[in-house]
Amino acid sequence: MTREFEFKSSPDVLSPQDMLSLPRPGAPVPNAAGDLAVIPVSKYSFDDRKTHQSLAIAPLEGGSQTYDLPLPNGGGAFWLDSRTIAHVVATGEDKDKKQELFAVPIAFDKGSVSVGESVSVGSFPVTTAADFRYSASSGVLVFSAYVYADGDLSAVKENDEKYENRGNTALVYDQTFERQWDAWVRPKHKSLFTVRLYKDQGKYVLGKDFTNTLKGTQLSSPVEPFGGTDDFDISDSQIIFTAKDPKLPKATHTKQNIYLVGFDGSNLAELTSGVHGATHAPAFSCQGTKVAWLQLDDDGNESDRAKIVIHDLSKGVSFTITQDWDRSPNSLAFSESGDFIYFATEDIARVKIFTLPVPPTPSKSTAHPKLDAPYNTPVALTTTHAASGIQVLPNNRLLFAMSSLTSPSDSYILGNLQRVEADILSQASDAYRGELTQITRFSADSLQGKHLHPGEEFWFKGALQDIHGWILTPPGYKSTDVKKWPVLMIIHGGPESSWADSWSTRWNPNVFANQGYVVVAINPTGSTSFGQNLTEGIIEDWGGKPFVDLKNGWKYVLENYPQIDPDRAVAAGASYGGYAINWIQGNPDFGFGFKALVCHDGVFDTTYNGYATDELFFFNHEWGGRPWEPKPFELSRKYSPAYTVSKWSTPELIIHGSKDYRLPEGDGIAVWHALQQLDVPSRLVIFPDENHWVLNAGNSLKWHYEVFRWFDEYVGEKASFQERPRN
């Protein structure tokens, strides 16, 4: 019989509801003057069960108060000039629905922000305009929108009506993708458009002639499902962007090319060489003379090491500057002078900001230029937490967002970069790292007094190298305790990802700890930020080396933390972590002794997943070929949980989203059916409207309730030892 269950809740406890109610700020976007930034913020209210959106206008000098501009109808925002914000929002109803652009005047005096009345500037003929970048010098707005094969933005509404009234609901495909992430692919695709946006007699005016810069090219950008403004950048006359190679099947290849095109769609040119994998984060230098992007060598491998490529536009020469650096940057920006490049990079379970001086352009394109000091060793300017969204500011400053295990994202400025750059160029033995200033404190008041553990790190011997892990302890935990606390191992997905010093609203270690668990988060073989050798160590070995690491880490924790009660141990994981849960379920000889398991959107049959997943390249790379080919077929028989079901005995909670096309729900249902027929205690929770992640706040609260209720049933304070199964 299921006992009643309630979350632990007190003024010092960070409950799931507390976490889900916190503001969720996006990346800061500065104005040209560098004295203000806009930050999109969303905040869920359990009172009215709605997500409320606003725009924070943050002064970039410390000590000034952030202004909150409510956006009851949502919408996107960008800067028109240093004292005018553009707000794009849906207006009208049904067939008359469109997006309208408003100019919002801003006053900023003596550290205080005020907002004037918004004025309509013009409208878009669609409701999908997004990803705005504005060139004030040329008076041109670049944005993305969905369009049909004819490429005509003005015809989208008419084409929509024809499609919706076609008389059937069939979706017909001749090539992949047929569906991706959480949506079936339909006739429209994303493209990049330009339109005039200029001042006339002191008032902004949005033009009515929209140019599809990619019309007739078979190119689509930003790249779905997650691409946005990070997939393109603009100068005063051109767009640099990344797009999937149009000649290759999308589901079996990761190859993306870098292109340059004029605002009018002219002079389309590919800048990449043709032999590479994915490309990301293209960016212009402020002078418009160079561009840079991130490039992976291996087509089909989404976790290959990303390298920074610089292309000199005046010389037509491309060269790689991080070929010998064993880390993968994820975003980049040129300095104001164009002489340095700044980039965010995972490193030892953090995301740090690094910099390098831009080397002189070589005489010809090369992936292996000869680089001497100081051009060959990236310098870390931050050492902890997780940075993102780097933006260059005037006067030798960087603006970025940063979160940690104890705090959601806030905005920061790193200043005095001229001294940083001078020290690096002179090869000073102890280079200055800049002056860090926190700009916003969105959640500080709400988190005041809460138990927030910063994470204690531990290292141990693994299958390939020393392995890193985190321990977080609950409220009331004392070093003198003996076998007092239940312990939870959480296993990350990916598998090429990591548990980092960052905030999460889905798998938050502090939320787990605040419900009374010692939380163990290990970064085993396959994890990122510890070098490419560890990341690639999982290839063709899903059920091998990672579990050597997890077993060794578990042994280390039990031997070094006597406060833990090993008879009250549980485990949970999602995606690859869900695979790991099912693999542990079928391998009791691992000896973990878990009394209950939670599998979220995990793999049951690896062979089936190789056929059913949306991104076929993933299985093909991870398992060494297509699922019917001899090597991957045999590996899958060796490491698929489906072939271990006869040994399953541990109570398991299975959670799956019906719109998860990365790991379709058949896997979760198969696990459930196996456990039910084995008479192993089990429960299935299906979210019909969620994808690989649980994003709706109400659903997330239910997710947390079911997870903690399940654990409490088997290792809670009222669970008897007789109730706890032994595997």
Side-chain angles (χ1 to χ4, degrees):
M1 180 181 292
T2 301
R3 298 191 308 273
E4 290 186 7
F5 171 76
E6 292 182 354
F7 291 124
K8 289 181 169 60
S9 181
S10 67
D12 67 331
V13 166
L14 178 69
S15 70
Q17 186 161 334
D18 292 334
M19 181 266 290
L20 293 167
S21 300
L22 293 172
R24 301 189 187 187
V29 179
N31 63 4
D35 60 355
L36 294 172
V38 292
I39 307 162
V41 181
S42 64
K43 191 174 188 296
Y44 185 80
S45 168
F46 282 96
D47 295 331
D48 61 10
R49 297 182 181 177
K50 292 181 180 179
T51 297
H52 299 269
Q53 295 182 317
S54 63
L55 197 65
I57 306 172
L60 298 182
E61 298 295 332
S64 299
Q65 189 169 359
T66 297
Y67 183 94
D68 186 65
L69 176 63
L71 302 178
N73 297 312
F78 59 95
W79 289 99
L80 289 172
D81 59 52
S82 291
R83 292 296 179 264
T84 310
I85 295 170
H87 177 216
V88 180
V89 64
T91 59
E93 298 291 336
D94 300 324
K95 291 183 180 180
D96 295 325
K97 197 169 185 179
K98 60 183 179 182
Q99 284 171 291
E100 197 164 357
L101 192 155
F102 293 87
V104 184
I106 305 297
F108 182 45
D109 183 46
K110 297 178 180 178
S112 178
V113 175
S114 59
V115 175
E117 186 175 350
S118 62
V119 177
S120 178
V121 168
S123 63
F124 302 86
V126 293
T127 57
T128 61
D131 308 319
F132 303 99
R133 287 191 181 273
Y134 180 55
S135 171
S137 60
S138 58
V140 172
L141 175 65
V142 182
F143 65 96
S144 74
Y146 284 95
V147 68
Y148 286 86
D150 62 10
D152 188 351
L153 199 68
S154 63
V156 168
K157 279 193 176 182
E158 180 183 347
N159 288 330
D160 279 346
E161 191 170 347
K162 288 179 181 177
Y163 183 74
E164 290 162 8
N165 295 312
R166 66 193 186 279
N168 63 77
T169 59
L171 301 173
V172 181
Y173 303 94
D174 294 307
Q175 59 187 16
T176 58
F177 292 110
E178 73 292 332
R179 61 183 187 177
Q180 190 178 21
W181 188 244
D182 61 2
W184 289 93
V185 174
R186 296 176 189 272
K188 288 189 286 190
H189 66 278
K190 272 189 176 182
S191 195
L192 291 171
F193 293 85
T194 59
V195 63
R196 290 276 292 145
L197 178 53
Y198 58 96
K199 263 190 172 181
D200 184 17
Q201 297 181 355
K203 296 181 179 180
Y204 280 99
V205 177
L206 180 68
K208 297 183 179 180
D209 295 324
F210 298 91
T211 299
N212 183 348
T213 62
L214 309 185
K215 187 173 182 177
T217 65
Q218 295 186 303
L219 299 173
S220 177
S221 186
V223 178
E224 296 192 79
F226 303 119
T229 52
D230 54 336
D231 273 358
F232 71 99
D233 194 15
I234 64 173
S235 65
D236 58 5
S237 61
Q238 292 178 302
I239 307 169
I240 184 173
F241 65 96
T242 180
K244 279 264 196 179
D245 191 311
K247 302 183 189 72
L248 299 174
K250 293 181 174 64
T252 52
H253 292 268
T254 58
K255 186 184 179 192
Q256 293 174 214
N257 303 325
I258 296 291
Y259 299 90
L260 200 64
V261 69
F263 282 170
D264 61 357
S266 65
N267 300 318
L268 177 70
E270 183 183 346
L271 301 185
T272 37
S273 65
V275 183
H276 56 273
T279 57
H280 303 293
F284 277 101
S285 67
C286 297
Q287 295 72 28
T289 57
K290 290 185 176 73
V291 291
W293 61 84
L294 302 175
Q295 183 167 305
L296 285 64
D297 291 341
D298 189 8
D299 181 19
N301 180 5
E302 65 178 359
S303 299
D304 193 18
R305 184 160 61 89
K307 303 166 186 178
I308 298 175
V309 176
I310 294 177
H311 181 86
D312 189 315
L313 292 169
S314 62
K315 297 181 179 180
V317 171
S318 297
F319 53 104
T320 304
I321 64 169
T322 57
Q323 185 66 257
D324 299 322
W325 192 46
D326 194 21
R327 292 293 184 268
S328 288
N330 58 48
S331 62
L332 54 81
F334 282 96
S335 66
E336 194 176 9
S337 67
D339 295 331
F340 272 73
I341 196 161
Y342 292 87
F343 40 101
T345 305
E346 284 187 90
D347 182 45
I348 315 296
R350 280 95 173 159
V351 184
K352 303 174 184 177
I353 294 177
F354 288 82
T355 189
L356 268 176
V358 175
T361 302
S363 59
K364 61 181 181 179
S365 294
T366 175
H368 299 273
K370 186 179 186 306
L371 299 175
D372 298 321
Y375 301 107
N376 56 6
T377 306
V379 176
L381 304 184
T382 61
T383 58
T384 190
H385 307 330
S388 61
I390 299 173
Q391 300 280 334
V392 173
L393 297 175
N395 303 318
N396 300 291
R397 296 171 299 156
L398 281 183
L399 174 67
F400 57 95
M402 189 161 65
S403 74
S404 69
L405 282 165
T406 62
S407 174
S409 179
D410 272 306
S411 295
Y412 291 78
I413 284 179
L414 190 66
N416 290 337
L417 296 182
Q418 75 282 2
R419 183 177 162 193
V420 172
E421 294 175 0
D423 276 8
I424 292 172
L425 288 174
S426 67
Q427 301 182 51
S429 58
D430 186 18
Y432 179 64
R433 307 301 168 112
E435 180 182 350
L436 187 66
T437 304
Q438 185 170 352
I439 300 300
T440 63
R441 288 174 170 79
F442 287 109
S443 300
D445 291 343
S446 298
L447 294 176
Q448 185 69 35
K450 298 293 185 184
H451 174 85
L452 293 167
H453 196 288
E456 178 183 333
E457 296 176 89
F458 63 96
W459 293 83
F460 59 92
K461 284 288 183 185
L464 288 174
Q465 62 188 58
D466 286 351
I467 297 295
H468 171 273
W470 298 99
I471 288 271
L472 288 87
T473 57
Y477 176 95
K478 297 176 183 176
S479 60
T480 55
D481 293 334
V482 178
K483 289 191 176 181
K484 178 177 180 178
W485 297 98
V487 58
L488 163 64
M489 176 191 280
I490 51 177
I491 306 172
H492 69 64
E496 292 89 356
S497 65
S498 67
W499 295 117
D501 182 14
S502 62
W503 190 260
S504 172
T505 54
R506 298 193 310 276
W507 287 74
N508 189 304
N510 262 304
V511 168
F512 286 111
N514 271 267
Q515 291 301 306
Y517 295 86
V518 173
V519 178
V520 178
I522 293 170
N523 286 313
T525 298
S527 297
T528 54
S529 82
F530 302 94
Q532 197 65 19
N533 186 55
L534 189 72
T535 301
E536 294 183 354
I538 196 171
I539 303 304
E540 301 178 21
D541 198 28
W542 270 35
K545 291 187 288 295
F547 292 87
V548 173
D549 299 340
L550 291 173
K551 287 188 293 182
N552 290 356
W554 188 244
K555 180 181 179 183
Y556 176 91
V557 166
L558 295 184
E559 289 177 351
N560 288 275
Y561 292 86
Q563 302 85 356
I564 290 171
D565 182 352
D567 288 322
R568 298 170 68 197
V570 292
S575 195
Y576 172 81
Y579 161 88
I581 291 298
N582 294 330
W583 190 238
I584 288 168
Q585 177 74 276
N587 287 274
D589 54 308
F590 285 167
F592 289 108
F594 296 129
K595 301 305 184 289
L597 302 169
V598 172
C599 170
H600 174 97
D601 287 23
V603 177
F604 169 67
D605 186 340
T606 55
T607 302
Y608 165 76
N609 181 246
Y611 290 104
T613 188
D614 55 344
E615 295 184 337
L616 301 173
F617 60 75
F618 177 76
F619 178 95
N620 296 348
H621 176 73
E622 295 287 318
W623 294 85
R626 295 171 295 182
W628 63 86
E629 294 173 344
K631 181 169 66 172
F633 184 82
E634 290 304 316
L635 281 172
S636 190
R637 293 281 301 199
K638 179 180 180 181
Y639 286 136
S640 177
Y643 300 106
T644 67
V645 169
S646 63
K647 294 186 281 187
W648 290 14
S649 64
T650 306
E652 183 168 339
L653 171 66
I654 306 100
I655 306 171
H656 223 105
S658 294
K659 295 179 74 175
D660 183 357
Y661 302 149
R662 188 60 39 90
L663 282 167
E665 66 182 342
D667 268 302
I669 292 170
V671 173
W672 158 250
H673 284 168
L675 291 164
Q676 286 284 296
Q677 291 181 87
L678 290 167
D679 290 326
V680 175
S682 48
R683 171 173 277 201
L684 175 68
V685 178
I686 292 288
F687 290 103
D689 55 347
E690 297 286 4
N691 55 36
H692 201 53
W693 305 327
V694 176
L695 300 177
N696 174 277
N699 287 345
S700 183
L701 187 63
K702 176 64 172 174
W703 184 96
H704 283 87
Y705 177 85
E706 291 293 341
V707 168
F708 285 121
R709 187 209 67 80
W710 188 254
F711 288 155
D712 187 69
E713 186 77 14
Y714 296 99
V715 300
E717 294 175 358
K718 296 180 181 178
S720 70
F721 279 90
Q722 288 72 27
E723 287 177 335
R724 296 174 194 147
R726 300 177 184 276
N727 58 5

